[in-house]
Amino acid sequence: MKIKNGFAKRNIAGSNIVVPVGKNAGEFNAMITLNDTGSFLWDIFQKDITVDRAVELITAEYDVAPEKAREDIEKFVALLQDNNLME
């Protein structure tokens, strides 16, 4: 799984914001605000990785049980897929 190209994450006044760029700017009329964990996930899904690998990475970075991490990652991925942000 990988986030589609055409979106840029920026830190603006302490907030992690994702905005569409290029042709996506006309097709996706929104802005996404991410918390620190969401920002971490956004960054790791810039590459094509599996949920299993994402669980490994997030549990190495944060003090979270693998089961809870998987549940939260699957929700995050579903939200991205629902909004057509994943390849």
Side-chain angles (χ1 to χ4, degrees):
M1 288 179 221
K2 181 179 183 287
I3 292 173
K4 287 183 175 181
N5 292 328
F7 295 91
K9 185 185 80 164
R10 300 286 184 258
N11 188 290
I12 301 171
S15 295
N16 297 303
I17 307 292
V18 175
V19 295
V21 294
K23 71 175 185 148
N24 286 335
E27 297 172 8
F28 188 84
N29 297 322
M31 182 172 64
I32 302 165
T33 303
L34 301 170
N35 63 19
D36 289 340
T37 307
S39 179
F40 181 84
L41 290 172
W42 183 272
D43 291 344
I44 64 174
F45 278 111
Q46 292 300 305
K47 297 179 182 169
D48 190 15
I49 67 166
T50 64
V51 169
D52 289 339
R53 180 68 179 135
V55 169
E56 291 172 8
L57 292 170
I58 204 160
T59 55
E61 183 73 18
Y62 294 96
D63 184 22
V64 60
E67 300 79 21
K68 176 65 174 154
R70 177 174 301 282
E71 178 184 326
D72 291 347
I73 291 167
E74 287 174 349
K75 286 179 186 177
F76 184 79
V77 167
L79 181 64
L80 293 176
Q81 288 173 330
D82 289 348
N83 287 283
N84 199 28
L85 299 173
M86 297 288 277
E87 292 184 347

